[in-house]
Structure formats: C-alpha cells, structure tokens
C-alpha cells in the first residue's frame, strides 16, 4: 500500500525552511503531495499559479515522488481526496506548536483516519517565515539567506514590479 502524505501551505514564497520540511517529509512517505492553498487572512505576493510553479521548480531535484496540487477546501477533505493518511507540518517555535496542536486536534475530530506528523525545522532555519521574507524584501533587505537564488530573484522582481520597495 502506498503511503501518501500531504504538506499544506501557502508557500508565498517557498523558503529554505519549507524545502527542509519537504526533503525530510518526502523520506517518510511514498508520495508527498504539496498542497498549495490560499489563506483568506493573508494577502499573497504571488498568485496561486505563480506559487505552484515556484514550488514545482524548487522540488524538481528533491528525491522521492512529489506532486504539487492546488486546493481550496478544508485540509482534511483535501487529504481524503488525495488518499493521504498523513499530514506533514513543520514547527519552528513553541508558538507554532500551540497553533498546530490545536489544528491537529480539530483535524482529528473531522477525520480520525489521517494523522498529523510534526517535523521540527532545522535549527538554522527556524526563524524563517514567508511573511518576514516578504517584509525584508519590500524594505530593500537581502533575503538570500532565507530562500533559494531563483526564489530570491522572483521576489526581488515582484517587489520592483509593484513598486512596494520601502525607502
């Protein structure tokens, strides 16, 4: 039986922290489905299609069977559609754990057939958050320590194109 896991997120943009969780998560399952979603509480820098292409490009060299799929539904409904038995979530800090623990509990109530697995982010990558990467870029800071060179170029181009750069 194929073990399928889902790693959901907005990936706006995909960071080195995300990539760490993807590489490690891919080793735990036979197929890792990266679910790229929209979050109504966030205003994305990139469109859904752009984020999906960005993630596809970044995972091209990652070992394992990885699929990048868009979704706009409850996570547990998406996991069921994909045949997943595992949700992979990355944790950076205690604050992440409290939120993720609550979400895992709610998700278990919705669909007890799917388990949530938490992976601790690499210590060097723990402070990285897409929101902060975007903020640093908007104010003209260097984001090359937090994203791949290709994603860095994507973000810089977007900041320059939208004129969002701070003074």
């Amino acid at each position: 039986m194929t073990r399928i896991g889902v790693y959901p997120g907005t990936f706006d943009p995909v960071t080195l922290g995300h990539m760490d969780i993807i590489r490690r998560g891919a080793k735990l399952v036979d197929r890792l489905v990266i679910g790229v979603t929209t979050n109504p509480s966030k205003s994305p820098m990139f469109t859904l299609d752009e984020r999906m292409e960005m993630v596809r490009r970044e995972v091209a060299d990652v070992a394992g069977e990885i699929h990048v799929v868009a979704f706009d539904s409850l996570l547990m409904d998406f996991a069921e559609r994909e045949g997943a038995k595992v949700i992979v979530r990355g944790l950076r800090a205690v604050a992440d754990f409290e939120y993720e623990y609550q979400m895992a509990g709610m998700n278990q109530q919705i669909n007890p057939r799917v388990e949530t697995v938490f992976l601790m982010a690499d210590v060097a990558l723990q402070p990285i958050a897409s929101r902060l990467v975007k903020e640093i870029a908007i104010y003209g800071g260097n984001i090359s320590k937090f994203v791949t060179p290709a994603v860095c170029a994507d973000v810089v181009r977007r900041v320059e194109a939208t004129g969002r750069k701070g003074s």
Side-chain angles (χ1 to χ4, degrees):
M1 184 163 100
T2 303
R3 290 172 301 160
I4 301 169
V6 167
Y7 178 41
T10 53
F11 305 103
D12 185 49
V14 61
T15 67
L16 295 178
H18 292 130
M19 293 304 300
D20 176 53
I21 299 300
I22 290 167
R23 280 188 195 89
R24 292 168 48 219
K27 294 176 186 176
L28 301 176
V29 294
D30 300 312
R31 179 185 316 137
L32 182 62
V33 178
I34 301 172
V36 182
T37 188
T38 54
N39 184 334
S41 67
K42 296 181 182 179
S43 54
M45 176 176 274
F46 296 96
T47 67
L48 179 61
D49 289 340
E50 289 170 332
R51 289 181 280 128
M52 289 189 54
E53 277 308 308
M54 190 183 298
V55 172
R56 281 188 186 112
R57 179 188 69 214
E58 296 302 314
V59 302
D61 295 332
V62 176
E65 184 181 341
I66 299 176
H67 299 265
V68 180
V69 179
F71 79 102
D72 187 18
S73 64
L74 285 175
L75 173 57
M76 298 315 275
D77 291 342
F78 175 67
E80 187 83 23
R81 277 195 309 274
E82 293 296 322
K85 298 294 181 205
V86 174
I87 303 294
V88 176
R89 298 295 293 163
L91 294 176
R92 294 175 298 204
V94 173
D96 279 355
F97 179 77
E98 297 217 12
Y99 171 79
E100 294 292 345
Y101 182 76
Q102 183 177 26
M103 289 299 298
M106 295 292 286
N107 287 337
Q108 188 175 41
Q109 294 292 318
I110 293 169
N111 187 341
R113 295 175 304 281
V114 179
E115 290 293 335
T116 300
V117 174
F118 297 110
L119 296 178
M120 295 298 297
D122 181 284
V123 173
L125 304 173
Q126 283 183 3
I128 301 174
S130 293
R131 175 182 54 81
L132 297 175
V133 168
K134 289 185 289 189
E135 189 172 320
I136 292 166
I138 287 168
Y139 286 100
N142 182 354
I143 61 169
S144 63
K145 292 180 182 177
F146 313 119
V147 296
T148 65
V151 172
C152 183
D154 292 340
V155 173
V156 169
R157 270 194 304 277
R158 180 56 44 93
V159 168
E160 289 172 352
T162 58
R164 293 169 72 178
K165 197 167 194 171
S167 51

